[in-house]
Amino acid sequence: MTPPRDRRQDRRMEQAADRQAAREVAKRKDHEPGIGHRLGQIGVLGWMIVTPMLLGLFLGRWFDRLAGTGITFAAALLMAGVALGFWSAWKWMHRP
C-alpha cells in the first residue's frame, strides 16, 4: 500500500512545474542571439564602413591620375567614404 499523499507537497510540485514552464516561455520569447550571430553583425558593420572608404579612395586616385592633382580627390573622396560608411552603419544598427 502506498503512503497517503500530502496535498501541500503536491501543490508545491505543481507550482514549481508552472514556474519552470513560465521560464521556458520567457526564454523563447526573449531570445539572446548567440556568439556566431554577434560576430556576423560585427563583420557586416566592418564591411559597411570599409567598403565606401575603399571605393572613395580608389575613385579618388583615379580622378587624381586623370587630373594630375596629387592626392586632392583621393583625400576628399576617402573622407566622404568614411562619412557614408559610418552613417550607413549607424542607420543599420538603429533600424527597427
Side-chain angles (χ1 to χ4, degrees):
M1 183 172 208
T2 60
R5 297 184 68 114
D6 183 13
R7 289 194 185 269
R8 286 180 296 176
Q9 185 179 6
D10 288 345
R11 184 67 187 143
R12 284 193 305 248
M13 288 294 282
E14 285 179 28
Q15 288 173 345
D18 290 341
R19 283 192 306 268
Q20 179 63 29
R23 282 194 297 267
E24 289 293 324
V25 168
K27 180 181 174 184
R28 283 191 206 112
K29 190 170 116 179
D30 190 28
H31 176 68
E32 179 68 25
I35 187 76
H37 182 76
R38 293 291 187 201
L39 288 174
Q41 284 179 330
I42 292 169
V44 167
L45 282 174
W47 282 110
M48 287 179 79
I49 295 168
V50 169
T51 302
M53 288 171 53
L54 291 176
L55 289 174
L57 183 62
F58 291 133
L59 190 61
R61 289 297 297 151
W62 181 64
F63 284 153
D64 282 334
R65 274 187 249 132
L66 288 177
T69 57
I71 61 166
T72 304
F73 286 108
L77 291 178
L78 175 64
M79 290 301 118
V82 167
L84 178 66
F86 279 113
W87 177 79
S88 65
W90 184 82
K91 291 294 278 185
W92 185 75
M93 287 188 321
H94 291 90
R95 72 184 189 275

